[in-house]
Amino acid sequence: MQKSTAIANSNIAIIKYWGKRDERLILPTNNSISFTMDEQLSTTTTVEFDSALKQDEAILDGKIADEKEYERVSNFLNVVRARAKIKLFAKVVSNNTFPKAAGLASSASGFAALAAAASKAVGLDYSMKDISILARLGSGSATRSVYGGAVEWQKGSASDGNDSYAVQLSPASNWKHLRNIIAIVDAEKKKVSSRAGMAETVKTSKRFSSRLEAVGKRLEIVRSAIKDNNFESMADIIMEDSDDMHACMADTIPPIVYMDETSNKIKKAVRALNESEKIAAYTFDAGPNANIYTTNPNEVKSMLKEINGIKKIIECKIGEGIRFSEKHLFY
Ligand code: 2P0
């Protein structure tokens, strides 16, 4: 069968996904909105289904996948095999341009690239919408990485998940002035996975229901700001949604705390920077690293230089969605 290679970039949400209504089908409790990042945060994946293989093979960042990784990849390939009605095993080789599980959402680019490469390799003639639905079965945030620019994952209401996919709100070309300055505070693997953490929040947080009510209004404001190409008018909402998600994490029993002292210093500094003119918005995922969306990257970078505990700064542009390549990772 043909070999297929796909590239997908990571995305960083501005209205967060934190909670599932269906754990198996990865159906979220609320819509979320993100910007897709540039090639600095990307995954390239080559897939080939091959009758000579006795089991799936997965090599991630040059190493044979560990047990947990193998199981996740192989389970995902089972979905692809079921859809294509074949039984062949596959070889998967995947390279990230950034450290895995560093709070930089590697599962987003990882499963988007795997969904695209595997569906093409198996001969399924999938649209981007189909790929988005398939990617969702690997990881929720991967649903959004299918498209570039500003992207909304519609939670949908169907019980089979077929209306839970992403749509592009605005292409990357409309956001040439916007950057995400990522401050790496800690590049270690996180202690509580997003998957486990969000399940606990849905189960035990009393605050979570008020979050779901508030998100509706936030989505409206952000959609309208994106339509107007106006970053400033959504900066406060972006920070409010990140704070709200982390408050729900803290309200979980037992509490989940991803942000540390350095993260909190960054939050304060962004607020101070915005006092004279609104130029930046922080957002934090399931880790201490800060994502600072801004129309004035130089000012944000000089502000970050004054803060101790930041290990690395990455300046990301708004990037493109999935693309296919003829340059395979194995031959
Ligand atoms: C997001 N995060 O919207 C949120 C904000 C982390 C915090 O999507 O269980 O790895 O695979 O669906 O996609 C991370 O969660 O979780 C995430 P699964 P995923 O980007």
Side-chain angles (χ1 to χ4, degrees):
M1 284 184 108
Q2 68 165 338
K3 208 173 269 143
S4 166
T5 297
I7 306 158
N9 299 358
S10 187
N11 70 77
I12 299 295
I14 52 177
I15 298 293
K16 303 296 199 186
Y17 148 55
W18 192 256
K20 296 181 181 71
R21 64 175 200 280
D22 184 316
E23 306 240 344
R24 191 178 62 85
L25 292 175
I26 313 199
L27 299 175
T29 50
N30 59 271
N31 289 24
S32 52
I33 296 180
S34 57
F35 282 107
T36 300
M37 298 293 101
D38 68 20
E39 301 69 34
Q40 294 174 86
L41 301 187
S42 77
T43 305
T44 303
T45 299
T46 300
V47 177
E48 183 174 35
F49 290 87
D50 183 347
S51 57
L53 294 171
K54 303 258 180 311
Q55 58 173 33
D56 291 320
E57 279 178 20
I59 298 166
L60 311 179
D61 286 328
K63 285 189 225 122
I64 294 174
D66 67 28
E67 209 176 314
K68 245 177 135 176
E69 292 166 335
Y70 180 85
E71 196 183 297
R72 234 176 132 178
V73 169
S74 198
N75 285 342
F76 187 80
L77 292 171
N78 286 341
V79 175
V80 177
R81 278 186 279 264
R83 288 178 173 216
K85 300 190 173 62
I86 62 150
K87 291 213 161 96
L88 299 182
F89 291 112
K91 178 169 175 175
V92 174
V93 176
S94 186
N95 287 336
N96 285 305
T97 55
F98 58 99
K100 267 185 286 171
L104 289 181
S106 62
S107 69
S109 54
F111 280 99
L114 182 59
S119 58
K120 190 171 174 210
V122 88
L124 292 165
D125 186 21
Y126 271 8
S127 65
M128 284 299 163
K129 176 184 148 184
D130 297 329
I131 293 174
S132 179
I133 291 174
L134 178 61
R136 195 199 74 230
L137 296 167
S139 188
S141 50
T143 314
R144 299 184 306 240
S145 268
V146 169
Y147 297 104
V151 180
E152 179 162 1
W153 174 13
Q154 300 172 331
K155 70 184 174 87
S157 56
S159 56
D160 64 3
N162 279 340
D163 58 354
S164 185
Y165 53 84
V167 294
Q168 186 183 58
L169 298 178
S170 172
S173 56
N174 285 347
W175 301 93
K176 290 203 164 86
H177 58 298
L178 188 67
R179 296 287 181 278
N180 177 13
I181 308 295
I182 306 171
I184 306 290
V185 172
D186 185 354
E188 292 299 308
K189 231 172 162 146
K190 55 199 173 217
K191 289 175 192 81
V192 182
S193 71
S194 301
R195 187 161 293 188
M198 67 174 83
E200 289 305 311
T201 299
V202 172
K203 246 192 271 170
T204 65
S205 166
K206 290 196 179 66
R207 192 190 157 110
F208 188 63
S209 58
S210 60
R211 164 166 175 75
L212 292 185
E213 278 169 39
V215 161
K217 184 80 198 152
R218 286 184 205 137
L219 286 164
E220 274 174 38
I221 295 169
V222 168
R223 273 187 213 118
S224 144
I226 287 172
K227 205 168 157 208
D228 296 343
N229 218 23
N230 185 339
F231 169 72
E232 289 71 25
S233 67
M234 60 180 163
D236 284 334
I237 299 295
I238 293 173
M239 294 188 280
E240 183 181 294
D241 193 67
S242 173
D243 287 347
D244 185 17
M245 178 182 74
H246 284 273
C248 288
M249 292 162 168
D251 184 51
T252 301
I253 306 167
I256 307 167
V257 180
Y258 289 115
M259 290 168 62
D260 68 9
E261 206 185 318
T262 309
S263 321
N264 286 313
K265 271 192 229 156
I266 296 171
K267 252 178 79 165
K268 238 173 124 177
V270 171
R271 294 264 182 210
L273 208 60
N274 276 345
E275 265 168 30
S276 46
E277 193 193 352
K278 204 155 285 166
I279 58 158
Y282 60 73
T283 184
F284 293 84
D285 285 335
N289 301 330
N291 292 278
I292 306 167
Y293 281 109
T294 182
T295 47
N296 193 337
N298 290 338
E299 211 167 311
V300 169
K301 283 190 286 182
S302 25
M303 172 275 278
L304 289 173
K305 281 195 189 114
E306 303 300 312
I307 298 174
N308 289 331
I310 297 173
K311 304 216 163 78
K312 195 179 170 187
I313 292 173
I314 303 170
E315 179 172 346
C316 247
K317 292 182 184 160
I318 307 307
E320 301 294 338
I322 282 172
R323 56 266 180 214
F324 291 94
S325 168
E326 293 306 318
K327 270 200 252 160
H328 303 302
L329 297 179
F330 63 90
Y331 286 97

